[in-house]
Structures are given as structure tokens and as C-alpha cells.
Amino acid sequence: MKLITAIIRPYKLEDVRSELENIGIKGITISEVQGFGNTKGHAEHYRGVQVLVEYIPKIKVEIACSDAEYERTIEAIIKGAKTGGIGDGKIFVRNLEQVIRIRTGESGDDAI
């Protein structure tokens, strides 16, 4: 089992959700986050004054999936999130030791 964490642009969330739905992903967790990468923020004008925005708003999408479906899941995220520009985001993949559904007690792939 894998835990996939993707950091994406906020306006690409619906595109990513749609692509994940198309491949049968049943559940995702979404968080609003802020951060910076290579660009280290950007300057904006607010009421005529230039302001440095150090942390860029992003969306964090987390998906638990089986080993068999994680590559398709990554491809779907890329398809939905990619613009080709700097700041498209990153995907992190971690192994999951165990998943347990609290309501039923199911575990492993059955709990996903």
C-alpha cells in the first residue's frame, strides 16, 4: 500500500479530482497549505505598494491506494495538475505499513 501526497495549484484541484475519479479512486484528503520552492515567493502589488509574498498558497492532496493502482494514481494527478509552468507542484510516495477502517475493523487493501 502507498500514501501519495501531491502539492498542487489550488485552481487545479477539480481537474485532479476528476482524473482520480475517472480511474476509480474513491477517497482523497485535501488540505490548504502554504510554502515555497525554487521561486521563493513572488512580489504582488497591493493598494499601490509592492509586497513580497513569501509563502504561496497550495493544495495538498493525500491518497491511500494499493500497490497495484499507485502508478495510475500518479499519472492521473500529473494529467490533472500539469500546466507546464514553474510551480506545478510535487508528488511524494510513501509506503504504508497498515490501514485500518475504524468503523468495520477492516485492514489492508480492504480498508482503502
Side-chain angles (χ1 to χ4, degrees):
M1 294 176 295
K2 306 286 187 203
L3 178 62
I4 299 171
T5 303
I7 309 297
I8 64 170
R9 298 173 190 266
Y11 70 88
K12 297 301 282 181
L13 176 59
E14 285 308 309
D15 294 338
V16 169
R17 186 199 56 76
S18 177
E19 292 296 333
L20 291 168
E21 197 173 82
N22 288 342
I23 64 165
I25 296 298
K26 297 175 185 156
I28 61 176
T29 301
I30 307 296
S31 304
E32 293 181 10
V33 296
Q34 296 181 11
F36 66 87
N38 291 334
T39 58
K40 307 225 180 352
H42 66 277
E44 289 184 357
H45 284 68
Y46 178 73
R47 295 188 178 183
V49 177
Q50 186 172 346
V51 178
L52 179 63
V53 178
E54 293 185 47
Y55 301 105
I56 310 298
K58 296 287 184 174
I59 297 291
K60 179 167 68 171
V61 180
E62 294 179 298
I63 304 138
C65 62
S66 68
D67 289 332
E69 60 189 0
Y70 95 93
E71 288 180 10
R72 288 184 319 130
T73 303
I74 291 170
E75 290 169 5
I77 294 168
I78 291 170
K79 185 175 179 183
K82 186 174 183 175
T83 68
I86 293 172
D88 276 352
K90 295 218 173 23
I91 299 172
F92 306 96
V93 180
R94 291 180 275 174
N95 287 318
L96 283 176
E97 280 189 42
Q98 184 64 282
V99 176
I100 301 165
R101 183 173 303 189
I102 295 171
R103 179 177 54 86
T104 63
E106 294 171 298
S107 63
D109 286 345
D110 294 336
I112 297 175

